[in-house]
Amino acid sequence: MQVKRTPKTYDVCIIGSGASGGTAAKVLSEGGLSVALLEAGPPLVPERDFKEHVWPYDLPHRGAGVGGAARRGLEDEFLAPNGAWEIEGEPYVAAPGSKFRWFRSRIVGGRTNHWGRIALRMAPVDFKVRSHDGMGDDWPLSYEDVAPYYDKVESYIGVFGTKENIPSAPDGIFLPPPKPRCTETIIKKACDKLNIICVPSRLAILTQPLNGRAACHYCAQCGRGCKSASNFSSSQVMIPPAEKTGRFTLITGAMARELIVGKDGRVSAVSYVDKATRTEQRIHARAFVVAASACESARLLLNSRSTLFPDGLANSSGVVGRNLMDTVGSDGGGYFESLEKMPPHNHDGVGGMHMYLPWWKFDRKNEFLRGYHTEFGGGRGMPGVGDYDDLCDDFEGYGTSLKQECKKKYGTWIGFAGRGEMIPNENCYCEIDPSAMDQWGIPVLRFHWKWSDNEIKMARDMQETYKEIVEAAGGVYLTDHRSDGPNPYGIADGGVIIHEVGTVRMGEHSATSALNQYCQAHDVKNLFVTDGASFVTNADKNPTLTIMALTWRASDYLLAEAKKGNI
Amino acid sequence: MSISRRDILKSLTITAVTGSVLRVIPLEAAEYAHRMVKAEKADSQTYVPKFFSAHDYKTLQTLCQTIIPADDEAKGAIEAGAPEFIDLITSENKDYQVALGGGLMWLDNTCLDRYGKFYLECAPAQQKEFLDLIAYTKNAKQDPSLGQGIEFFGFLRKLTADGFFTSEIGIEYLGYIGNTFLKEFPGCPPVPGI
Ligand SMILES: Cc1cc2nc3c(=O)[nH]c(=O)nc-3n(C[C@H](O)[C@H](O)[C@H](O)COP(=O)(O)OP(=O)(O)OC[C@H]3O[C@@H](n4cnc5c(N)ncnc54)[C@H](O)[C@@H]3O)c2cc1C
């Protein structure tokens, strides 16, 4: 007679190893639980995958990619190992009349391998927007509930910044910021004149050694991968401590297809595709943490249908896929003659801005609700492919004079990027496409998108502000976005700012939300969705620090429940 | 003066990070090709064009060097490897093959019509006269038959600039100082008025 082996049951199975999944892995395994983590992508090997300090001329394509693919078009510029707008074999669909772009990474660490590392806390008012202005919904928790977890995350990952006491931009636990670059000095002076707040930025990059990681060496190449892990990525900062516990199992090349529910209404297993063998596998666990990135998590729940949950798992409210939000983005910039006179000097610094503009009009009535912050940069960066074509377009001709003109214009740009709050609306959501599927037969998402008037007004305000700043700083504003057309005032298409959140939102009531304040499903107690899907609103703050704080908080709660025997 | 949205984005914080990253990090395939080109060069000392015929490649080299010539301050596009860069990505891109391959044929045929010779064989004064026609978009207004040539030359100018300014020679010429290890970031040097 054959003895039937019972499969190993982990305490927790996490799906996804990005900002959220990595944080859960660290906290849960260090808390004493046995953890399995499914990651759709391959492992990350810094020695192989990181191109820190490589010069463009060391590469035959000079960084332009095969066939010049990275030369033209924003989407192509984002091509990096295992991160892209389009992934072969894994399509998504935009509904007729909708434009939506979805940037995904398939690698251990997810998009934290590429992110800008801007790490901003949400403000107290951001959690209570409905009480404040009547639109959207309040979060089921307050700033005070999250603040201790912001503290924990910042202290552990390392964020630089300064204490400023600005209501729209709460202070955190900061390392000292790097000194301003020339471009930043110019803009700071102009902002002072205009009474616009301009302060050191807050980035998850070490300016001092921390927890065994070295301080930044100022090569400005964070996004190419940092061999000394001086910047934050989940792969280099969250996964290693989990592995150290001996209770952590990382399973790469594993694409979760469906969460399987037992007769008791709890999730008992996750079914996944082992990409290497194209076989179906299962992991059993007592609790499940879904952290595949906001829309991907919604997709997994919607694809997990059963007799108990015919509309998708944890979706008795019908909100899964709804309330999809991105950030309002509009960009502008100009030319500064003063920068032509700048003597050659090292302008690199950290990979990202040393200063930024938090939302400064919080104390007045504006034409639109909520606010935006502004990121800016420019100057003498490392020359890259595509940098020179538009300059040469300006001059035309050929010969020594062309060569000299191009040189003269080098480093004379300063650009601005507005990052503003979008209020969720019923026209923005994702759902399972009725016909399309990916290469593993998993049904894919269809996106619906429409900006509302509030966001357009915000984009207009951004354009007016950037023109004002550039001119106050003695520059020439060169952006001229139309007020009409598909992208009024240069507003970016949905998804393009890569801050998509809100598709499995939390709330007090199970009728209008899918999760409670601990990211635990109202309908299924051993299921947690900890990534940006849980967001109720999308403040002007880039979401990742909050994703990590909420995940840490949810993980602490899960640990406590596990101790009580509730999970 | 025109500026594309992309230009601005490129100089920006997050996009600059990712932009510069992604601009400079190629796909695995790029690295493979890199090793390939290096190995080839080591073998033969001369680059064997992947797409262009020997004649067209010679024309391409000449045009690149005319667009960004050597001068007192720095060497030019050929020394900077721009033609190799252009040939390699053209060999991998059908659109570029049409734009540049077709462009070079247009150039030779039009020179043949005008001067009875291919571009390379034309006298320097003839070459200059001809380039002065196709190097400026405004000329298409007077003579629409130059349209394709102007388009071609503009595209080649972009690629040449890309190739030149991403080379060691070009980067030094610009005075970019960076991509190195600093213990501390000094910030903006003292400059009057800033
Ligand atoms: C270029 C760029 C710049 C950015 N800049 C900033 C910034 O400055 N500040 C900021 O706050 N945010 C920024 N972001 C956004 C930030 O990266 C994301 O908010 C954050 O990474 C989200 O974390 P996550 O854990 O939800 O998802 P991710 O980090 O995307 O990780 C999800 C992981 O889950 C895996 N996965 C997905 N589906 C499955 C499945 N079915 N089975 C198994 N595994 C799966 C993926 O492979 C991936 O590794 C930026 C993003 C990009 C791309």
Side-chain angles (χ1 to χ4, degrees), chain A residues 457-470:
Chain A
K457 284 184 181 150
M458 197 181 260
R460 182 176 68 197
D461 199 78
M462 292 172 182
Q463 287 302 320
E464 287 165 359
T465 302
Y466 304 150
K467 183 163 192 288
E468 220 181 336
I469 297 175
V470 167

Side-chain angles (χ1 to χ4, degrees), chain A residues 58 62-63 71 77 182 221, chain B residues 6 22-23 34 163 179 188:
Chain A
D58 290 334
R62 305 288 175 83
R71 258 194 93 250
E77 280 200 45
C182 299
Q221 295 176 36
Chain B
R6 182 169 164 272
L22 306 169
R23 275 205 310 276
H34 173 40
N179 190 20
C188 189

Side-chain angles (χ1 to χ4, degrees), chain A residues 2-335:
Chain A
Q2 204 183 344
V3 182
K4 203 169 169 228
R5 281 251 224 75
T6 42
K8 176 171 164 103
T9 300
Y10 293 90
D11 290 330
V12 184
C13 175
I14 303 170
I15 294 148
S17 65
S20 177
T23 305
K26 171 189 153 61
V27 178
L28 295 172
S29 59
E30 286 184 343
L33 300 185
S34 68
V35 174
L37 191 152
L38 295 187
E39 167 53 54
L44 180 92
V45 185
E47 304 78 58
R48 181 197 68 199
D49 298 327
F50 289 178
K51 303 297 187 298
E52 184 190 333
H53 294 295
V54 169
W55 291 92
Y57 51 78
D58 290 334
L59 309 162
H61 298 89
R62 305 288 175 83
V66 175
R71 258 194 93 250
R72 283 250 151 235
L74 188 61
E75 65 271 29
D76 295 321
E77 280 200 45
F78 279 90
L79 281 173
N82 305 293
W85 292 108
E86 312 296 339
I87 299 176
E88 225 184 294
E90 300 189 47
Y92 58 91
V93 181
S98 291
K99 272 206 231 162
F100 190 86
R101 308 296 314 277
W102 191 18
F103 190 101
R104 292 162 292 166
S105 294
R106 293 280 184 265
I107 193 161
V108 171
R111 290 175 296 177
T112 66
N113 295 304
H114 322 282
W115 71 313
R117 299 176 170 82
I118 299 165
L120 304 176
R121 291 184 176 208
M122 281 172 50
V125 65
D126 294 331
F127 291 96
K128 300 293 168 197
V129 288
R130 190 175 186 88
S131 308
H132 188 68
D133 61 31
M135 289 292 287
D137 277 302
D138 288 350
W139 289 61
L141 41 64
S142 67
Y143 178 78
E144 285 66 37
D145 295 317
V146 188
Y149 289 94
Y150 279 137
D151 289 356
K152 277 181 204 246
V153 174
E154 286 163 351
S155 325
Y156 176 66
I157 70 173
V159 176
F160 70 72
T162 45
K163 298 220 188 270
E164 301 284 349
N165 215 5
I166 303 162
S168 66
D171 296 327
I173 295 176
F174 294 134
L175 302 169
K179 292 193 186 109
R181 305 174 175 105
C182 299
T183 43
E184 287 150 344
T185 312
I186 291 173
I187 297 308
K188 165 75 177 156
K189 277 191 185 165
C191 287
D192 286 352
K193 266 195 257 175
L194 298 168
N195 284 318
I196 293 173
I197 302 174
C198 178
V199 296
S201 41
R202 294 152 178 194
L203 266 54
I205 299 168
L206 302 184
T207 51
Q208 287 172 350
L210 184 72
N211 297 325
R213 291 157 58 207
C216 178
H217 51 264
Y218 305 105
C219 71
Q221 295 176 36
C222 292
R224 301 170 75 183
C226 182
K227 287 180 185 152
S228 56
S230 306
N231 59 23
F232 173 81
S233 68
S234 174
S235 36
Q236 288 173 293
V237 182
M238 295 301 191
I239 300 299
E243 279 176 332
K244 234 187 196 160
T245 64
R247 286 183 288 273
F248 177 71
T249 308
L250 176 63
I251 305 167
T252 54
M255 182 75 188
R257 173 199 298 281
E258 188 184 354
L259 295 159
I260 316 263
V261 181
K263 283 195 206 81
D264 57 357
R266 294 158 58 90
V267 184
S268 59
V270 54
S271 151
Y272 70 92
V273 181
D274 175 47
K275 289 187 184 177
T277 57
R278 282 187 78 92
T279 55
E280 209 69 27
Q281 307 283 338
R282 272 187 191 191
I283 292 277
H284 296 262
R286 276 177 270 279
F288 292 80
V289 173
V290 176
S293 83
C295 298
E296 202 67 68
S297 292
R299 178 184 175 205
L300 182 60
L301 297 188
L302 290 171
N303 275 330
S304 303
R305 288 169 216 255
S306 58
T307 39
L308 274 175
F309 300 101
D311 301 320
L313 192 60
N315 194 24
S316 65
S317 63
V319 300
V320 175
R322 299 272 146 184
N323 301 296
L324 172 62
M325 292 166 271
D326 188 23
T327 288
V328 182
S330 178
D331 312 297
Y335 154 75

Side-chain angles (χ1 to χ4, degrees), chain B residues 30-141:
Chain B
E31 288 219 275
Y32 169 73
H34 173 40
R35 285 196 294 275
M36 218 164 58
V37 171
K38 264 211 167 149
E40 258 177 49
K41 271 190 137 177
D43 276 354
S44 62
Q45 291 307 313
T46 47
Y47 178 79
V48 181
K50 299 199 165 6
F51 172 72
F52 294 103
S53 67
H55 168 78
D56 281 356
Y57 191 66
K58 192 105 220 307
T59 313
L60 178 80
Q61 285 182 308
T62 309
L63 290 172
C64 287
Q65 195 74 350
T66 310
I67 290 168
I68 301 190
D71 59 17
D72 296 346
E73 280 190 85
K75 291 178 178 158
I78 287 189
E79 294 88 347
E84 277 139 275
F85 162 72
I86 295 171
D87 174 65
L88 178 65
I89 61 172
T90 304
S91 73
E92 300 159 341
N93 185 318
K94 290 256 173 332
D95 294 338
Y96 289 16
Q97 289 173 10
V98 174
L100 296 176
L104 288 174
M105 284 183 82
W106 179 92
L107 184 82
D108 269 343
N109 282 328
T110 316
C111 284
L112 205 58
D113 282 350
R114 282 186 182 243
Y115 307 114
K117 280 174 267 185
F118 287 155
Y119 177 79
L120 277 181
E121 282 112 44
C122 287
Q126 292 172 327
Q127 289 180 340
K128 180 170 184 319
E129 179 186 68
F130 193 61
L131 289 190
D132 285 344
L133 287 175
I134 60 171
Y136 301 93
T137 39
K138 63 172 194 294
N139 292 343
K141 288 211 188 84

Side-chain angles (χ1 to χ4, degrees), chain A residues 411-425:
Chain A
T412 57
W413 294 109
I414 302 179
F416 298 79
R419 297 290 179 253
E421 175 160 359
M422 165 193 178
I423 299 172
N425 72 60

